[in-house]
Amino acid sequence: MEGRSKPGPWPGAVGEGAVIETAALTKRYRGGQLAVDRLDLVVPRGSVFGFLGPNGSGKTTTIRMLMGLIEPTSGAARVLGQEMPRAGRRVLPRVGALIEGPALYGFLSGRDNLLRFDAADPTAAPRTRAARVGAALERVGLTSAAGKKARAYSLGMKQRLGLAAALLRPRELLVLDEPTNGLDPQGMREIRALVRGLAAEGTTVFLSSHLLDEIEQVCTHAAVMAQGRLLTQGTVRELAASARARLAVTTPDTADAVRVLKEHGVHDLTVTDDRVTGELPPVDLADLNAALVRADVRVRSFGTERASLEDAFVALTGEGFDVAG
Amino acid sequence: MSRAETLPIGMPSLSLFRSEVTTTFRRWRTLALLGVLAAVPVLVGIAVRIETSRGGGGGRGDGGGGGGPAFIGQVAGNGLFLVFASLAATLPFFLPMAIGVIAGDSVAGEASAGTLRYLLVAPAGRTRLLLAKFTTTVLFAFAATLVVAASALAVGALLFPVGEVTLISGTTVSFGEGLLRALAIAGVVALSLTGLAALGLFVSTLTNSGIAAMATTVGLLITVQILDQFPQLSAVQPYLFPHYWLGFADLLRDPVYWDQIARNLGLQALYVAVFGSAAWARFTSRDVTV
């Protein structure tokens, strides 16, 4: 872990704090389909970065290019400061990845699966292999099922074994592609807790998802993709703030409240049950509250409500989230 | 980054190769293939035993020289000949079919299971992974050949008398030397299969379906075996990988005729070079999208 605070062995690299950096990264498949279109992505070190977009928006293709599985058509990608896919042998041992769900040898036990994946890493010492495999199994809570054949595992167990493979060694970067896909709510909670724990240890986590609330719950930063293009990126707070916050008043006297608010220049008023919301006016909110009270409007609560990431996404794309690209 | 579990890059590590071998040989399918191969000498041995006891005489089967290196006629007289007869019986189809299954599945099987992407991000290294796959297939070829030979030796010793060996050239050698020659033949037979192993590996890099790669490799084997039978194609036949396969019988002459065996091994080396390079070129440049 002590290695993380050091700048790393790539002096002079662009973006000292960036763990992933792409420049006009583009992938056009042989059929002519443009999967990723001039992507400029910057993932800061130490962040939990949510990579958001509907299914088919180019997230997985991007991840495969970052991991050296797919050659970019044009543009460049740097992971941990080094060019991919060329520097794969040096970069990938420091990266743990879960790509498009787990893939296991059904005829091997959970433990033997991990032993095999660890043996595939030429920089992993065979001497510590058994101990590291045991620790990874422990970490994802599979120790008791380690001897079972992987084909007998439930989807959640497979997902956790996949995560264990990504955690065989201390990693600087974890790339998790849809880590909660197909899990029940309990499994999702467990994975999120695990991600938070890893982030707290200093690992940068790059997490792709099509679930907005998942990103909102665990991520510090996010980027939004749609149809191969990057729509926006930044901190989750900034993104949510970009969708304007609204004024919200709870009162039994909704009709009076609407009248008073309108008089004070609040637009776009909507009433649902005992709640009145509207665009934030340019006036001081304290004066607005006083005006409501003076007009004998009984106010239960008064304040601004922060927009959710979902509001931000709808504002960005002008469409609901689950529409495929 | 001087962590205890980090090895310097470029240090040769046999971990992947060892893992590849154990993974292959722990598969039920691999064991089934070896089981089938082990059963062939048993069937041949029993058939010959029944045949000789019905014909009564048995004795020196010197009438067996009719159709090439069949050796069946000599089995009743000397159990060691069951080794040669079994290798001659399995080499045209059973043995190469088993190699075709293992070689065809090697890369494509990992691709269809999805484990290929995890091996590559481990990172196994594409060249290193391909090398591990090829050496494991060749190792399997040796194992398969030895299984046939060992099973034949055991069955032969059990059902028939063993003793001095009369070679094709008529000279008689001791049982010990006969055994040595059997071992040499098994080695040549295994090496005969390396060309097909490379061909299967190449096919395996072309597709993401293990079944398709296995079927294609075995299909190619059958096609080439058939082409090798047409006299009209005699011009190309010396370049077909099974063409000199049965030349291993020349090891049973005194002195040994090396001509055919050398040609066979040269041809296999050519196939390994050509299809090994093709597999490498394909695999190292390909997008892994599964």
Side-chain angles (χ1 to χ4, degrees), chain A residues 282-323:
Chain A
V283 298
D284 189 346
L285 291 183
D287 295 341
L288 203 57
N289 193 14
L292 283 170
V293 174
R294 269 199 304 277
D296 283 338
V297 176
R298 293 168 293 167
V299 176
R300 284 200 188 113
S301 78
F302 180 92
T304 56
E305 63 177 14
R306 201 172 69 82
S308 70
L309 205 54
E310 178 147 16
D311 297 325
F313 187 86
V314 172
L316 276 168
T317 59
E319 65 187 38
F321 196 79
D322 281 317
V323 180

Side-chain angles (χ1 to χ4, degrees), chain A residues 65-111:
Chain A
M65 283 194 279
L66 292 173
M67 296 293 98
L69 293 172
I70 293 182
E71 189 91 23
T73 309
S74 62
R78 250 194 220 104
V79 177
L80 299 176
Q82 302 187 61
E83 205 87 28
M84 286 297 289
R86 225 186 34 214
R89 288 183 59 197
R90 267 161 292 148
V91 171
L92 292 175
R94 293 145 63 197
V95 179
L98 187 68
I99 305 161
E100 271 191 292
L104 305 167
Y105 299 89
F107 57 96
L108 293 182
S109 70
R111 174 174 281 115

Side-chain angles (χ1 to χ4, degrees), chain B residues 131-154:
Chain B
L131 262 174
K133 291 286 183 192
F134 180 68
T135 43
T136 303
T137 309
V138 170
L139 196 75
F140 174 78
F142 274 91
T145 312
L146 279 178
V147 161
V148 173
S151 160
L153 189 63

Side-chain angles (χ1 to χ4, degrees), chain B residues 258-269:
Chain B
W258 289 108
D259 189 39
Q260 292 253 318
I261 294 165
R263 266 190 220 178
N264 180 17
L265 298 186
L267 188 62
Q268 301 308 323

